Amino acid sequence: MNVDLPSWVADLALPANVRDDADAMRYALALARANVRAGSGGPFAAMVVHDATQRIVSVGVNLVTTEQCSVLHAEIVAIIRASHAMQSWDLHANGATTLFTTAEPCAMCMGAIPWSGVRRVVIGARDQDVRSIGFDEGAKPEQWVKDLRGRGIDVVRDVLRDEAKQVLEQYVSGGGLIYNAVPPSSNIST
């Protein structure tokens, strides 16, 4: 199984490898910005990178609205595409991998990470940044970072956070759809 990306992704000419976390996050943010400009989904992007070679294994963008599928978040798309490229449901089986995501994973994506074999997650914007524009990120344990670390998954936060927040703001100012928004009377907390 694989998920097709919008045709514009090929036009971005991403490099085959990244140098470091900031370099990888810059590329993920370029994907998120392009996704916003193209109107092909929400303001989120993700990449799976092979740690030993720094090779980009896969990229993903949010495709919820264009594909009419609630689970096609950027992280899920990147994981599906990485599994397809690596011919394995366990991404760690072919070498430790890092998931770069332009925003903290929602409850669904956070749940998928341990089963994917990802051993490291690098994050741009924080949960509160995403919630502040109206998205419902679901019920997540307060100690989710500690929980992932307890499973052997390292979590690095706030990599180019300001730039990641700008993508969220561009999405809202451009009239982007806030699907599954938090109801105004909701008592949901993080």
Side-chain angles (χ1 to χ4, degrees):
M1 179 182 145
N2 203 4
V3 176
D4 292 329
L5 295 172
S7 59
W8 60 258
V9 173
D11 297 336
L12 285 182
L14 293 173
N17 296 67
V18 297
R19 292 183 305 258
D20 54 29
D21 288 354
D23 191 42
M25 187 60 70
R26 273 189 212 79
Y27 293 122
L29 289 168
L31 283 163
R33 279 187 207 95
N35 205 39
V36 169
R37 277 192 308 273
S40 44
F44 309 103
M47 297 183 350
V48 173
V49 174
H50 190 275
D51 288 343
T53 63
Q54 293 299 95
R55 180 177 61 87
I56 297 174
V57 176
S58 71
V59 300
V61 294
N62 180 289
L63 299 171
V64 170
T65 58
T66 53
E67 295 300 318
Q68 300 298 306
C69 183
S70 62
V71 300
L72 290 182
H73 290 199
E75 297 94 332
I76 300 297
V77 172
I79 289 168
I80 289 170
R81 292 183 60 79
S83 295
H84 183 76
M86 297 176 88
Q87 299 287 298
S88 178
W89 54 268
D90 180 1
L91 300 180
H92 185 66
N94 290 320
T97 54
T98 298
L99 174 67
F100 289 87
T101 178
T102 59
E104 284 186 8
C106 70
M108 175 185 68
C109 296
M110 182 185 61
I113 289 169
W115 286 277
S116 71
V118 164
R119 294 292 184 254
R120 188 166 175 262
V121 181
V122 179
I123 300 163
R126 290 266 181 136
D127 183 89
Q128 61 260 35
D129 303 329
V130 177
R131 289 181 193 269
S132 74
I133 66 166
F135 280 101
D136 180 356
E137 294 297 277
K140 295 173 17 178
E142 279 186 43
Q143 301 297 322
W144 69 270
V145 172
K146 182 179 177 183
D147 292 345
L148 286 181
R149 287 181 177 150
R151 291 175 168 266
I153 301 167
D154 187 30
V155 178
V156 179
R157 297 162 95 182
D158 300 333
V159 175
L160 303 181
R161 182 179 180 189
D162 288 338
E163 290 91 334
K165 287 168 50 176
Q166 288 172 357
V167 174
L168 299 173
E169 292 161 6
Q170 288 168 349
Y171 183 73
V172 170
S173 67
L177 175 65
I178 306 295
Y179 54 88
N180 294 340
V182 177
S185 62
S186 174
N187 290 327
I188 296 173
S189 63
T190 58

